[in-house]
Amino acid sequence: MDFGFSPRASELQDRMRSFMEQHVFPAEAVYDRQLAEADDPHALPPVMRELKEKARAEGLWNLFMAHGDWGAGLTNLEYAPLMELAGRSIIGPEVFNCSAPDTGNMELLALYGTPAQQERWLRPLLDAQIRSCFAMTEPEVASSDARNIRTRITRDGDSYVVNGRKWYTSGILDPDCELIILMGRTDPDAPTYRQQSMLLIPRDTPGVTVLRDLPMFGYTDRLGHGDVLFEDVRVPVENILRGEGEGFALAQGRLGPGRMHYAMRAVGFAERALQLMCERVTERTAFGGPLADQGVVREWIARSRIEIEQLRLLVLKSAWLMDTVGNAAARMEVAAIKVAALEVAHKVVDRAVQAHGAAGVSDDTVLARLYAITRALRIADGPDEVHLRTVARQELAKYRKAEREKPEREKDAYEKAAYEKAAHEKGAHEKTDTKAGAA
């Protein structure tokens, strides 16, 4: 395994680190104040627009996008430390146009969108002219199993009609949100993993109603987490993404890189929490000396450093595997980092909260917010249990007899095919772009 960074990647890290220190960290308090003073809690604070303009001018823009000539063309291994740096601030990823749910949606459009879909939605998203959301989770079913999805997408002549209810549709309350990518069921009688499809729905389509904004452990996010009702929502048939029955495969292609992005950010969360903890314990005195001299505090710091270093290596290994052997071959590692990353980040944040005492549970530091985020992300994008199931299934497959594993192998085969198909199409896109550039 070669974890060495190219000169370009190292240079980008230096620039990103400098930008975070000079512009992003000092802007956090301004961002919070502007958000609190705004009439709309979901409107973009002016300071964020300024930060985005500066980041774009510095060339620190769309670094996540590796497909064709849409973005910076970085590998996962090159991008990983950049997202760790951005992840040290809650507002960091958005500054560089590298925040969810737009990143996953842009990757979907880049890989599977038609030229017309890309022109209509992808280009404005890459320019941060609009925002988007992803509607998959439903309140009445266990949405970690895509087979449970009830929202119906029905063909009616030259249109699709959508009926259903989604919740925790992150980003839909942002005034700049203009696109909903919805996962629904087009054919309940099709084979299990060919029943779902993805549809592009303009945010202002009649029949789309946000019932409420859902908090996250009491926090109201700027992007908003919508409880959304879709009643006879009608869109043209050309708004289908890739085709009917492709929804499950598209979800696998979207969630693989998404889990990597979460893990990268989690390393940043943990580093920020450890920094705050070390600063706190060296400044505070109790029982006759600095808190930093207490044995239990030193153990918190030592264990946090060890766990972060282990996590970073696992994330880099997974990124390296995705780059060298593909997403399908790295499935176990990608599942593992989704679990490990948020567990470690949450544990380190918890220690930092304890070290801060009352200040740790207040809004005087970012720790309470990080505590909520790291806990919530153990559910988002697939709960820990789903990823543990994937890791265990692949590990046990080495020992179990084939006939006992037939049901699991069938799902594994489909998921692997979906990953490989996505990787093949990604390669085809890149080859086409290379030939076009040469021409």
Side-chain angles (χ1 to χ4, degrees):
M1 291 173 287
D2 183 4
F3 292 161
F5 297 113
S6 66
R8 183 193 179 199
S10 297
E11 189 255 345
L12 281 171
Q13 289 178 44
D14 291 339
R15 287 165 54 196
M16 174 78 80
R17 188 177 295 107
S18 176
F19 194 96
M20 293 291 294
E21 292 172 355
Q22 292 180 27
H23 303 293
V24 179
F25 293 130
E28 289 177 332
V30 180
Y31 180 95
D32 289 341
R33 185 180 68 251
Q34 290 179 348
L35 199 58
E37 294 172 352
D39 294 331
D40 183 352
H42 304 295
L44 187 68
V47 69
M48 178 57 74
R49 297 193 186 277
E50 296 170 8
L51 289 170
K52 286 185 175 184
E53 291 173 3
K54 290 177 181 177
R56 189 165 189 175
E58 290 286 331
L60 300 172
W61 194 253
N62 293 331
L63 299 173
F64 73 95
M65 182 64 82
H67 310 304
D69 59 356
W70 293 110
L74 301 176
T75 64
N76 287 294
L77 185 58
E78 290 173 324
Y79 179 62
L82 298 175
M83 186 44 51
E84 176 190 330
L85 289 168
R88 296 189 185 192
S89 171
I90 289 175
I91 67 173
E94 186 176 4
V95 170
F96 308 104
N97 208 35
C98 292
S99 59
D102 288 339
T103 47
N105 291 344
M106 285 189 271
E107 287 181 319
L108 280 176
L109 289 164
L111 283 172
Y112 310 116
T114 64
Q117 291 170 347
Q118 291 173 345
E119 188 66 27
R120 174 68 181 86
W121 303 113
L122 180 55
R123 290 190 183 278
L125 283 167
L126 288 168
D127 290 336
Q129 295 174 351
I130 66 172
R131 296 297 304 262
S132 64
C133 62
F134 188 67
M136 180 172 177
T137 305
E138 299 182 0
E140 297 179 359
V141 298
S143 302
S144 56
D145 183 350
R147 297 171 299 180
N148 289 337
I149 287 177
R150 295 181 181 177
T151 296
R152 286 300 309 274
I153 302 174
T154 306
R155 178 73 179 262
D156 182 19
D158 294 332
S159 301
Y160 284 110
V161 180
V162 181
N163 282 281
R165 183 180 171 189
K166 302 286 187 178
W167 74 341
Y168 280 94
T169 303
S170 303
I172 196 167
L173 285 146
D174 188 325
D176 293 328
C177 180
E178 294 189 17
L179 171 65
I180 303 167
I181 299 184
L182 177 136
M183 179 110 155
R185 181 172 289 187
T186 43
D187 185 359
D189 299 321
T192 304
Y193 299 105
R194 296 286 302 174
Q195 297 177 5
Q196 305 85 12
S197 302
M198 287 191 187
L199 199 61
L200 306 176
I201 303 175
R203 170 65 180 85
D204 60 358
T205 304
V208 178
T209 304
V210 178
L211 301 176
R212 55 179 173 151
D213 179 20
L214 297 159
M216 187 174 68
F217 285 107
Y219 286 99
T220 297
D221 276 351
R222 189 193 71 76
L223 294 179
H225 302 290
D227 184 352
V228 189
L229 186 63
F230 295 85
E231 295 179 295
D232 294 327
V233 175
R234 185 176 293 269
V235 298
V237 292
E238 54 264 29
N239 283 31
I240 197 80
L241 191 58
R242 193 178 183 184
E244 289 190 17
E246 299 288 346
F248 186 85
L250 295 185
Q252 294 303 313
R254 182 185 190 277
L255 294 175
R259 288 161 187 155
M260 174 62 68
H261 297 174
Y262 274 133
M264 296 169 184
R265 288 177 58 198
V267 178
F269 293 160
E271 284 285 7
R272 182 73 179 277
L274 178 56
Q275 174 192 345
L276 292 173
M277 176 164 51
C278 289
E279 291 172 351
R280 180 74 171 186
V281 300
T282 55
E283 296 169 352
R284 307 286 281 194
T285 300
F287 305 108
L291 284 177
D293 289 345
Q294 299 293 328
V296 65
V297 173
R298 291 191 171 192
E299 181 177 346
W300 292 347
I301 292 170
R303 289 192 180 279
S304 296
R305 172 49 62 203
I306 292 168
E307 290 159 0
I308 291 171
E309 294 302 322
Q310 291 173 326
L311 173 61
R312 182 182 287 111
L313 285 173
L314 182 57
V315 170
L316 291 176
K317 177 192 175 185
S318 302
W320 178 79
L321 284 172
M322 290 173 71
D323 293 334
T324 55
V325 297
N327 291 8
R331 281 176 58 226
M332 185 173 77
E333 287 77 9
V334 172
I337 61 171
K338 178 57 170 61
V339 176
L342 278 309
E343 280 188 351
V344 167
H346 191 67
K347 193 182 300 182
V348 175
V349 171
D350 184 66
R351 292 173 183 143
V353 168
Q354 195 73 6
H356 279 71
V361 298
S362 74
D363 285 337
D364 287 358
T365 73
V366 73
L367 290 172
R369 188 65 183 274
L370 285 177
Y371 189 93
I373 290 174
T374 54
R375 184 61 187 88
L377 289 181
R378 293 180 63 190
I379 301 172
D381 207 8
D384 286 359
E385 290 73 19
V386 170
H387 302 300
L388 290 169
R389 178 174 176 265
T390 296
V391 174
R393 191 171 62 214
Q394 294 201 39
E395 191 67 19
L396 287 169
K398 303 173 186 176
Y399 305 96
R400 283 183 171 174
K401 292 183 179 179
E403 58 269 21
R404 293 181 184 177
E405 288 296 305
K406 186 176 179 181
E408 299 292 349
R409 285 191 297 109
E410 287 178 350
K411 182 177 180 184
D412 271 353
Y414 188 86
E415 291 180 347
K416 183 177 179 181
Y419 272 115
E420 290 176 343
K421 195 170 186 180
H424 174 74
E425 292 184 352
K426 173 185 173 182
H429 276 278
E430 291 173 348
K431 289 178 181 178
T432 301
D433 292 329
T434 301
K435 291 179 180 177

